[in-house]
Amino acid sequence: MCGILAVLGCSDDSQAKRVRVLELSRRLKHRGPDWSGLHQFGDNFLAHQRLAIIDPASGDQPLYNEDKTIVVTVNGEIYNHEELRKSLANHKFRTGSDCEVIAHLYEEHGEGFVDMLDGIFSFVLLDTRDNSFIAARDAIGITPLYIGWGLDGSVWISSEMKGLNDDCEHFEVFPPGHLYSSKEGGYKRWYNPPWYSEAIPSVPYDPLVLRKAFENAVIKRLMTDVPFGVLLSGGLDSSLVAAVTARHLAGTKAAEQWGTQLHSFCVGLEGSPDLKAAREVANYLGTVHHEFHFTVQDGIDAIEDVIYHIETYDVTTIRASTPMFLMSRKIKSLGVKMVISGEGSDELFGGYLYFHKAPNKEEFHRETCRKIKALHQYDCLRANKATSAWGLEARVPFLDKEFINVAMSIDPEWKLIKPDLARIEKWVLRKAFDDEENPYLPKHILYRQKEQFSDGVGYSWIDGLKAHASEHVTEKMMQNAAHIYPHNTPTTKEAYYYRMIFERFFPQNPARLTVPGGPSVACSTAKAIEWDAQWSGNLDPSGRAALGVHLSAYDHPLPAAIATGNKKTRMVEVPTPELVISS
Amino acid sequence: MCGILAVLGCADTSLAKRSRIIELSRRLRHRGPDWSGIHCYQDCYLAHQRLAIVDPTSGDQPLYNEDKSIVVTVNGEIYNHEELRAKLKSHEFRTGSDCEVIAHLYEEYGEDFVDMLDGMFSFVLLDTRDKSFIAARDAIGITPLYMGWGLDGSIWFASEMKALSDDCERFISFLPGHIYSSKKGELRRWYNPPWYSEQIPSTPYDPLILRKAFEKAVIKRLMTDVPFGVLLSGGLDSSLVAAVASRHLAEAKIARQWGSQLHTFCIGLKGSPDLKAAREVADYLGTVHHEFHFTVQEGIDALEEVIYHIETYDVTTIRASTPMFLMSRKIKSLGVKMVLSGEGSDEIFGGYLYFHKAPNKEEFHLETCRKIKALHLYDCLRANKSTSAWGLEARVPFLDKNFINIAMDIDPEWKMIRHDLGRIEKWVLRNAFDDDKDPYLPKHILYRQKEQFSDGVGYSWIDGLKDHANQHVSDAMLMNASFVYPENTPTTKEAYYYRTIFERFFPKNAARSTVPGGPSVACSTAKAVEWDAAWSKNLDPSGRAALGVHAAAYKDVAPENATAYADSPSVNGFPPTHKDGMIEVAASATAR
C-alpha cells in the first residue's frame, strides 16, 4: 500500500504550508516506506508515500499525463492496467506503474472512468487546466480514505485519519464506491452492481462458476514485482487462498523472479489452534511456512500502537488487529512486501455463526449485503491498516468485483445453513472447491469449522486483554462512562480502555464518529438482532448466558462435524463484548 | 543497526511507566523496524528495536545469559563473536545472535571484557543479582549513544537523543570508548590503544601490512545473513571498499545465500561528479550498480526530517547527510539491509585539503588523532543516523580497531603531503593498493582527487540550500543571532536556518550542547586553525577569499604530476572544482 495526502485550495502557497503538508504526509510514511513525493500546484498539494510493488525503479508518484497538466496521487493496485493501457493506444506512458492509467483514463473519458478500474484504490486527481479535482475510493473500501474540510475553504483527502485530523474542522470516512468531484461539490456513487439494491437474486448455484471466479480473482492478484506470500490461519478462507495461489503460482511472472514456492505465514500464541491448523494446510500444500509466536504481553505492549494505526475503538477489530499487526512486522522483516488474505468470505457467504438463526433466505441475503457494505469499517480497515503499519500490502481476492457479483447473484436459498441437508456455513464455497480428482484441500479441512473472533490465535489472548483492561479501568470509571463518552458508550472495561487510548490519539469530535457502534450479537448488524427475540432482550453483558443457551441448544440438530469440542468455549467467549460493541 | 533504550532505577514500576518507555522506544523504531522487545526488572527497563542482520529468526532482544540473571540490550555487530563463543565453552547459548556473547563474557570476566569485543556496539547490561548495570560504547563511536539523568534518580541510555530528551533533566553524548558502571558511578575509558596518547609513532610505512589490515577489516564486515552492498561515491575511500569487498565476496558465507555479485549504490543530482566517478569504478569492478538521482527540492523537503534524525545543527554534517538519507531509503526499498561505507579514511590519513598546510609531521599526526577522536560527532554520527533512519546499517571498515592501530602507528612523515615527491593526500593508502600485477583500481582512479564536502553530489546542491535558507532567514534575524543563540552562535543564514529546526525538535539546553562548535577551517579542528595566520584572522565568511588565495598560492610549488591539480583549467592557478570546494568549506567553517 501507499499513503496519500492531498490538500486542495487552501489559499496558502507558502513554504510554511509546504513544510506542514510534508510533515503531515510523514505520518503516513509507514504505509509507503520506499519513497515520497510532493506535487504543488498553486495552493494545491498532492503528497505520496510509496510502497513499490509494481515497477519499483520508475513508478515514483505523483503520476502525470503526457503534458503534466493532470496530476494524480494514488494508493492502490490496478489489476487490469495492461488491458486499459491497450485501450489508450494514443497515450504515451511515462512509467511502468499500474496506477498511471488513471491520469490517462481521465484525460480520455473524464470523470466517468472509475468503474473501468479493476482493483483496489484511493486516489486524488488534480486537473491543473481548470484547477478542478476528483477523489475516489474503491468499490468495497479495501483501501482506507478520509476526507476533511478546513476553515480556510480547503478540502483534504488522506489515506489515514492521522494525516488530516489536526488540520480539519470536520472530517469523515470517504464512502467506498464513491467519487467526490470538486465541480459538483459532492459525492456520487460510481459503484452500482446488481447486488447493491439488496433485491433477492435467483441464479441457481453453479459450483464451477463460483470456483472459476475465485481462481480468476486470485490469479489477478499475483501481479507483483516483489516477494509475496499468503496469510494462512488454517481456516477455510485463508486455506482456499493458499491452495489456489499455490496451484497458479508456477505460470506467473512473479514466479520467474521469486521462485515457484509459495510462502505462507501464521501467527499465534504458542500452541494455539491457528498454528496447528495452518501447519496442517501448509504441509498439505507444500508451502514454505513461517510461524510466528507472540506472548500476551507482546500483544498488550502493542495495543497503543495498534489503535494509533488502525484508528478505531471497536473491540473485536482491535483484538483481531493486534496479532495481524505483530505478524506483519515479522513478515516485512523477511523482505516480503505483499500478502494475499482471506477477508470478505464470511460477509459474502454468511459465515458468522449467528447466520444459523437467519429466519429465511431474504433476511439472510439482506444481512450479507449489509455486512459487505460495512466491511470498510471492520475487516477491510483491519486488514489494510494492520499490514500497512509495516509497509506490507494485503490483497483480498474474495472482494474482487467480479467475484462479488457472481457470489451475490446466487439464490440465497443455497447459502442458508441447513443441518438437515448437512449444509454448514459457507457450504456453497466449500462445495465449489470439493474436487475429488484433483483436491484443493483435504475434505476434513475443506469442511472444518474454525475458531472465530480472535480465539484462533490462542484462548488466553482475549482473557489476557480483559485482565489487563480491568487493571486500568475501575468500576467507578465505568459508572461515569455514559457521561464521558455519550457517543458509542463503552459498556465493558476492555472497550473503555481502548476508547481512552483512541481519544488520546484522536481527540476531535469527528474522529469518534468515524467508528461504528450500535447493538450487535456476535458480529451481526443491528438489524439481525431481530432474528431472535432473546437476543434483543439481552444486549447487556448478561446476554452471554442467553446466547450460550441458545446456541448450545441448537447444537443438537447440527451434524456431528459441527459440534466440535472447542465450540462451546468459542460460543461463550463471543457474546460478552460483541453484544455491546460491534455491529 | 538497532535502537536501544534503558531506564534504570526510576523508582516507578507502574504500568503507566512501562507504556511510557514503550512509547519512547518507538521513537527509535526506524533503527530497528524488524521487531521490538522490552525487559522489565523491578524499576529497570531495557528496551530494544531490532534490525535483524545476523540470525534473523532467533536473535530477538533483550538477550540473556543461561539463567536470565543477566540481561543485555545491544545495538551493534560483534565481528569476532564466533571466536569469543569458542572461548566460552562452559556457556550455553540461547540464540545465534552475535551480541549474545556480551552477557556471557560479563558473567565470565566481570566489567573488564569490553576490549575483547571487535566490532561496533552500544549496550546496557543489567545484572539482576545485585541490580547493578554497565553501559558501554564502541571505541570510536560508530554507534550512537546518549546518557541522561532523571529527577527521580534514574539513569537513562538511548541510541538517539530523541528517546530521552523529553524525560531527562540533563543528558550528554556518551563518550566513545568508555564504560559506565553503576557500582563505581562514573565513566571510565576502556579503549586505550597506543595512538590515543598522541605520541608520534615511528614505525616505517609498509604498504603490504596496511593493505592486509584493510582487507581483513573489510572481510570481517561481510558477516551478514541478509542482502548488502557498498556505498560508492567514486572517490578513493569508497572505491577501495568496493574493490576489496568485490574481491573477497566470493569466499564469504553470504555469497552462497545472496550471490557473489556485489551491489553498489551512488546518489547525486543529475549529471553530478559522483555519479560519473562511481559509474566508472562500478564498471571497472563489474558490480551491480544502482544510481539514484535527487533534486534540490527533494533535498530541501527532507531537511527537517534529516535534522530530526541526525540530531545536529552542524552545517557540513547536514549538507552531507541529506543525500545519504535519501539514498538510504531507496537502498532499503530494494531489500538491502546493510552497506559498507568509506568513513574514517580522511581522519586517519589526513585526507582533508587543509592538511596540505600542516607545518610538520608532529602537527599532522596530532591533528589526525584529534580528528579521529571527534569522528563520533561528525561522520560517524552522519553515517549511522542517515542510514538508520530507514533501517539500514552502515559498516565502516576504515574504523576497524586493528586497522586504526596499524594506520596510526605509521611514522607520520609518510602521510605528509609532499608535492616534491609526488605524494598527494592519503598517498600511503593509495600506494598500498597500487598493485601492478593484480590492480584493485585503475591508476587514474587510485590517484584521483575528488570533490569533498558534499560538492560531489552536484554543485547546485549547496547553492540551493543557501538560497533556500536566505528565503527563510532575514538579515535582522541573523543580527540577533548571538542573543537568540548565545551558544554556538550561527553566523550564516544557512546555519541559522538549521538551528531553528533543531531547536524546534530538541528545545533543551542539554541538546544543543551535544553538538560541537568552535572555529574551523575546511573541517579542521580549532587547533589546526593556527597552522596559517591568515586562517585564524578570517573565520568569518570573508575567510573564503583568504583560503582560496592560499591554496592557490600553494599550487605553484606542486610538481606537474601532482594529479588533478594540473588536469583542469584553472582560474587563479587553482582548478575550478577544487576552488568551489574550498570556497564552500570556508563559508561553512563558521558553523563547525
Side-chain angles (χ1 to χ4, degrees):
Chain A
M1 287 286 95
C2 305
I4 64 172
L5 172 66
V7 185
L8 301 140
C10 59
S11 334
D12 181 354
D13 61 356
S14 70
Q15 176 67 24
K17 191 73 184 182
R18 185 182 177 96
V19 167
R20 177 63 181 160
V21 175
L22 282 167
E23 188 186 331
L24 292 170
S25 172
R26 278 202 291 277
R27 297 189 187 170
L28 309 177
K29 187 158 70 179
H30 51 273
R31 300 184 62 84
D34 292 347
W35 199 241
S36 55
L38 173 66
H39 181 88
Q40 180 180 358
F41 177 77
D43 63 351
N44 300 299
F45 298 86
L46 272 68
H48 190 262
Q49 301 281 344
R50 183 175 189 221
L51 178 71
I53 303 271
I54 306 283
D55 187 24
S58 85
D60 288 343
Q61 291 203 20
L63 295 160
Y64 305 92
N65 68 335
E66 289 87 345
D67 63 2
K68 290 206 171 192
T69 53
I70 294 164
V71 196
V72 60
T73 181
V74 192
N75 166 30
E77 301 292 340
I78 310 301
Y79 303 122
N80 63 338
H81 77 108
E82 290 188 354
E83 190 186 310
L84 291 170
R85 271 176 193 242
K86 275 185 212 132
S87 75
L88 296 161
N90 56 335
H91 288 254
K92 214 165 121 204
F93 284 77
R94 298 170 161 269
T95 72
S97 164
D98 53 305
C99 293
E100 195 187 333
V101 288
I102 293 173
H104 300 279
L105 284 170
Y106 172 82
E107 214 178 1
E108 198 70 30
H109 304 282
E111 297 182 356
F113 71 89
V114 184
D115 203 19
M116 298 167 72
L117 302 173
D118 183 11
I120 52 179
F121 52 82
S122 290
F123 67 81
V124 180
L125 180 151
L126 176 69
D127 186 340
T128 62
R129 295 170 305 190
D130 59 359
N131 216 358
S132 69
F133 68 88
I134 58 168
R137 187 175 180 195
D138 63 66
I140 305 298
I142 299 165
T143 60
L145 197 64
Y146 294 82
I147 183 168
W149 293 268
L151 287 173
D152 54 3
S154 54
V155 177
W156 295 59
I157 289 156
S158 172
S159 292
E160 296 186 5
M161 192 159 66
K162 56 181 79 63
L164 53 69
N165 66 316
D166 286 336
D167 293 59
C168 288
E169 185 63 14
H170 178 74
F171 52 90
E172 60 192 39
V173 173
F174 193 106
H178 281 67
L179 171 84
Y180 181 93
S181 156
S182 70
K183 280 181 192 153
E184 290 167 32
Y187 300 118
K188 83 186 147 199
R189 183 152 56 80
W190 62 263
Y191 180 55
N192 294 298
W195 70 269
Y196 212 90
S197 68
E198 307 191 6
I200 311 303
S202 57
V203 179
Y205 168 55
D206 180 335
L208 285 181
V209 169
L210 191 66
R211 184 201 290 184
K212 189 78 208 143
F214 186 65
E215 295 210 311
N216 281 341
V218 172
I219 291 166
K220 267 181 215 176
R221 283 161 181 78
L222 302 182
M223 170 183 97
T224 165
D225 292 331
V226 298
F228 80 103
V230 293
L231 301 187
L232 180 62
S233 72
L236 173 70
D237 308 324
S238 66
S239 300
L240 279 180
V241 169
V244 173
T245 306
R247 192 168 282 203
H248 292 284
L249 183 58
T252 64
K253 196 176 123 208
E256 283 166 35
Q257 292 179 61
W258 303 104
T260 52
Q261 255 206 313
L262 184 64
H263 288 257
S264 53
F265 307 99
C266 185
V267 68
L269 302 178
E270 227 153 301
S272 75
D274 277 5
L275 290 174
K276 185 165 163 282
R279 202 177 314 123
E280 189 184 3
V281 176
N283 287 341
Y284 177 79
L285 297 174
T287 64
V288 182
H289 189 59
H290 306 263
E291 264 183 20
F292 306 115
H293 301 163
F294 74 106
T295 62
V296 172
Q297 186 64 57
D298 286 337
I300 287 171
D301 282 347
I303 288 286
E304 303 213 353
D305 219 4
V306 167
I307 293 173
Y308 174 73
H309 276 286
I310 314 295
E311 304 180 325
T312 189
Y313 49 83
D314 177 67
V315 172
T316 42
T317 303
I318 292 169
R319 289 175 176 179
S321 294
T322 305
M324 194 168 186
F325 173 88
L326 295 171
M327 171 166 60
S328 297
R329 187 175 191 180
K330 284 283 188 187
I331 293 173
K332 184 59 189 274
S333 83
L334 295 171
V336 170
K337 282 181 157 183
M338 187 270 280
V339 288
I340 306 182
S341 188
E343 279 76 13
S345 165
D346 283 332
E347 285 73 13
L348 291 173
F349 299 105
Y352 294 101
L353 291 174
Y354 72 90
F355 274 95
H356 283 243
K357 297 291 264 180
N360 53 51
K361 72 173 186 179
E362 289 79 10
E363 275 298 315
F364 188 107
H365 183 75
R366 280 194 282 267
E367 175 72 2
T368 56
C369 293
R370 288 189 295 262
K371 290 291 287 176
I372 297 170
K373 289 175 186 173
L375 260 173
H376 71 106
Q377 293 179 297
Y378 295 105
D379 286 14
C380 286
L381 177 129
R382 166 176 59 73
N384 185 286
K385 288 181 180 168
T387 51
S388 293
W390 302 103
L392 182 70
E393 170 168 315
R395 295 185 178 173
V396 284
F398 281 110
L399 296 177
D400 180 81
K401 255 191 341 185
E402 182 56 34
F403 181 74
I404 295 176
N405 284 342
V406 171
M408 292 305 286
S409 71
I410 298 171
D411 182 341
E413 181 65 29
W414 293 89
K415 294 184 183 172
L416 282 173
I417 293 138
K418 296 200 168 161
D420 49 332
L421 299 175
R423 289 197 201 147
I424 59 170
E425 66 278 1
K426 299 194 275 192
W427 177 83
V428 291
L429 181 62
R430 300 176 197 269
K431 181 73 186 159
F433 286 90
D434 193 349
D435 186 327
E436 303 277 355
E437 273 167 44
N438 190 8
Y440 287 81
L441 291 169
K443 284 228 192 227
H444 72 279
I445 293 174
L446 195 58
Y447 286 99
R448 84 172 152 198
Q449 293 181 300
K450 209 184 56 71
E451 275 65 39
Q452 298 192 330
F453 315 116
S454 307
D455 261 347
V457 299
Y459 301 115
S460 51
W461 169 230
I462 289 171
D463 294 339
L465 284 173
K466 287 182 183 169
H468 179 73
S470 326
E471 285 175 49
H472 280 76
V473 181
T474 64
E475 300 297 335
K476 256 167 106 177
M477 289 159 85
M478 287 307 296
Q479 275 173 10
N480 297 336
H483 301 290
I484 295 182
Y485 302 122
H487 178 75
N488 284 348
T489 306
T491 57
T492 64
K493 290 188 174 179
E494 189 186 3
Y496 192 104
Y497 177 66
Y498 299 153
R499 184 63 171 270
M500 285 193 297
I501 299 172
F502 178 89
E503 297 279 343
R504 185 148 45 81
F505 290 126
F506 308 105
Q508 300 86 358
N509 215 20
R512 73 187 61 102
L513 302 178
T514 64
V515 179
S520 168
V521 137
C523 277
S524 79
T525 67
K527 180 82 184 145
I529 291 180
E530 296 167 12
W531 290 355
D532 192 303
Q534 266 179 288
W535 288 349
S536 48
N538 282 285
L539 283 172
D540 55 79
S542 62
R544 162 194 287 233
L547 189 58
V549 169
H550 258 280
L551 289 169
S552 63
Y554 187 63
D555 270 355
H556 299 297
L558 289 182
I562 301 178
T564 61
N566 290 334
K567 196 166 173 215
K568 267 200 173 149
T569 326
R570 168 186 64 207
M571 292 295 196
V572 174
E573 189 45 65
V574 170
T576 324
E578 278 70 25
L579 275 170
V580 278
I581 302 301
S582 60
S583 83
Chain B
M1 287 285 93
C2 306
I4 63 173
L5 171 66
V7 184
L8 300 137
C10 58
D12 181 353
T13 58
S14 69
L15 282 171
K17 192 73 184 180
R18 186 187 175 96
S19 344
R20 175 63 181 163
I21 288 163
I22 289 171
E23 187 186 332
L24 293 170
S25 174
R26 276 204 292 273
R27 296 189 188 172
L28 307 176
R29 182 191 278 165
H30 51 273
R31 300 184 61 85
D34 292 346
W35 199 240
S36 54
I38 181 166
H39 181 89
C40 177
Y41 176 77
Q42 295 172 4
D43 62 349
C44 298
Y45 300 84
L46 272 66
H48 189 262
Q49 300 282 342
R50 181 174 189 219
L51 179 71
I53 303 269
V54 175
D55 187 24
T57 48
S58 84
D60 288 343
Q61 292 203 21
L63 295 161
Y64 306 91
N65 68 336
E66 290 87 344
D67 64 1
K68 289 206 170 190
S69 60
I70 294 164
V71 196
V72 58
T73 180
V74 192
N75 165 30
E77 298 295 339
I78 310 301
Y79 303 121
N80 63 339
H81 76 108
E82 290 187 354
E83 193 185 306
L84 292 171
R85 270 176 195 242
K87 256 191 217 168
L88 295 161
K89 280 207 182 67
S90 56
H91 290 254
E92 206 184 298
F93 284 76
R94 299 170 160 269
T95 73
S97 164
D98 53 305
C99 294
E100 193 187 334
V101 287
I102 293 173
H104 300 280
L105 284 170
Y106 172 83
E107 216 179 0
E108 197 71 29
Y109 302 98
E111 297 184 357
D112 296 324
F113 68 90
V114 184
D115 203 18
M116 298 168 73
L117 301 172
D118 184 10
M120 51 176 180
F121 53 82
S122 292
F123 67 80
V124 179
L125 180 151
L126 176 69
D127 186 341
T128 61
R129 294 170 305 188
D130 59 358
K131 226 182 142 188
S132 68
F133 62 88
I134 57 170
R137 187 176 179 195
D138 64 66
I140 306 299
I142 301 166
T143 60
L145 191 65
Y146 293 83
M147 177 176 189
W149 293 268
L151 287 173
D152 55 1
S154 55
I155 297 188
W156 295 57
F157 299 94
S159 293
E160 298 185 6
M161 190 159 69
K162 53 183 77 63
L164 51 70
S165 55
D166 287 342
D167 293 59
C168 289
E169 186 61 16
R170 182 167 170 260
F171 48 89
I172 57 169
S173 172
F174 191 102
L175 287 172
H178 280 65
I179 176 172
Y180 179 89
S181 154
S182 70
K183 283 182 193 151
K184 301 193 175 116
E186 63 180 23
L187 275 163
R188 120 181 93 87
R189 184 151 55 80
W190 63 262
Y191 180 54
N192 293 298
W195 71 268
Y196 211 90
S197 67
E198 306 192 4
Q199 299 271 320
I200 312 302
S202 58
T203 309
Y205 166 57
D206 181 334
L208 285 182
I209 288 179
L210 192 67
R211 184 200 291 183
K212 190 78 208 146
F214 185 65
E215 296 211 313
K216 274 194 180 156
V218 172
I219 292 166
K220 265 181 216 176
R221 282 162 181 77
L222 301 181
M223 171 184 96
T224 163
D225 293 328
V226 298
F228 82 105
V230 176
L231 302 188
L232 179 63
S233 72
L236 173 69
D237 307 324
S238 66
S239 299
L240 280 180
V241 172
V244 174
S246 72
R247 193 169 281 206
H248 293 284
L249 180 57
E251 311 143 23
K253 179 182 139 211
I254 181 67
R256 288 198 294 274
Q257 290 179 60
W258 301 102
S260 56
Q261 254 205 315
L262 186 66
H263 288 257
T264 49
F265 307 98
C266 184
I267 188 162
L269 302 177
K270 241 177 229 180
S272 77
D274 278 5
L275 290 174
K276 186 164 162 283
R279 202 178 311 122
E280 191 184 2
V281 176
D283 286 346
Y284 177 79
L285 297 174
T287 66
V288 182
H289 189 58
H290 306 262
E291 260 183 22
F292 306 114
H293 302 158
F294 75 107
T295 61
V296 172
Q297 184 63 57
E298 281 176 314
I300 287 171
D301 281 347
L303 278 179
E304 310 225 340
E305 217 178 346
V306 168
I307 293 170
Y308 174 73
H309 276 287
I310 315 296
E311 306 181 324
T312 189
Y313 48 83
D314 177 67
V315 172
T316 43
T317 302
I318 292 169
R319 289 174 175 179
S321 294
T322 306
M324 193 168 186
F325 173 87
L326 294 172
M327 171 167 58
S328 298
R329 188 175 191 179
K330 284 283 190 188
I331 292 173
K332 185 59 189 274
S333 83
L334 295 171
V336 170
K337 282 181 156 183
M338 187 270 280
V339 288
L340 302 181
S341 189
E343 280 76 13
S345 165
D346 283 332
E347 285 72 13
I348 293 173
F349 298 106
Y352 293 102
L353 291 174
Y354 74 89
F355 274 95
H356 283 242
K357 297 292 266 178
N360 53 51
K361 72 172 188 181
E362 288 79 10
E363 277 296 318
F364 189 106
H365 185 76
L366 296 179
E367 176 71 3
T368 56
C369 293
R370 287 189 296 261
K371 289 293 286 176
I372 296 171
K373 289 176 186 172
L375 261 172
H376 70 107
L377 299 170
Y378 297 106
D379 286 15
C380 285
L381 178 129
R382 167 177 56 75
N384 184 285
K385 289 182 181 167
S386 314
T387 50
S388 294
W390 302 103
L392 182 69
E393 169 169 314
R395 295 184 180 176
V396 286
F398 282 110
L399 295 177
D400 181 81
K401 255 191 342 185
N402 189 49
F403 180 75
I404 295 177
N405 283 344
I406 286 170
M408 292 306 286
D409 190 38
I410 298 170
D411 184 340
E413 183 62 37
W414 293 89
K415 293 185 183 172
M416 296 280 288
I417 293 135
R418 296 281 299 271
H419 290 261
D420 51 333
L421 300 174
R423 290 196 200 146
I424 59 169
E425 66 279 0
K426 297 193 277 193
W427 176 86
V428 292
L429 180 63
R430 300 177 199 269
N431 186 61
F433 286 90
D434 193 348
D435 186 328
D436 283 325
K437 276 193 215 139
D438 187 12
Y440 287 80
L441 292 169
K443 286 230 190 229
H444 72 279
I445 293 174
L446 195 57
Y447 287 98
R448 85 172 150 198
Q449 295 180 298
K450 209 185 53 75
E451 276 64 39
Q452 298 192 329
F453 315 115
S454 308
D455 260 348
V457 299
Y459 302 116
S460 50
W461 169 230
I462 288 169
D463 293 339
L465 285 174
K466 287 181 181 169
D467 289 348
H468 179 74
N470 288 341
Q471 289 172 20
H472 279 75
V473 181
S474 66
D475 292 337
M477 287 158 84
L478 198 59
M479 287 246 290
N480 296 337
S482 66
F483 301 104
V484 177
Y485 302 120
E487 189 183 350
N488 287 345
T489 305
T491 57
T492 64
K493 291 189 173 177
E494 189 186 2
Y496 190 103
Y497 178 65
Y498 298 155
R499 185 64 171 271
T500 55
I501 298 173
F502 178 89
E503 297 280 342
R504 187 148 43 81
F505 290 126
F506 307 105
K508 290 195 174 172
N509 267 329
R512 76 185 61 101
S513 300
T514 64
V515 180
S520 168
V521 135
C523 278
S524 79
T525 66
K527 181 82 185 147
V529 174
E530 295 168 14
W531 289 354
D532 192 304
W535 287 351
S536 49
K537 276 186 231 136
N538 282 284
L539 284 173
D540 56 80
S542 62
R544 159 196 290 231
L547 189 58
V549 169
H550 261 278
Y554 186 64
K555 202 243 153 202
D556 304 327
V557 199
E560 282 310 297
N561 64 351
T563 71
Y565 276 89
D567 289 346
S568 41
S570 57
V571 186
N572 52 355
F574 205 69
T577 57
H578 282 95
K579 183 164 157 282
D580 282 358
M582 298 297 247
I583 288 172
E584 245 347 290
V585 167
S588 71
T590 44
R592 183 165 272 198

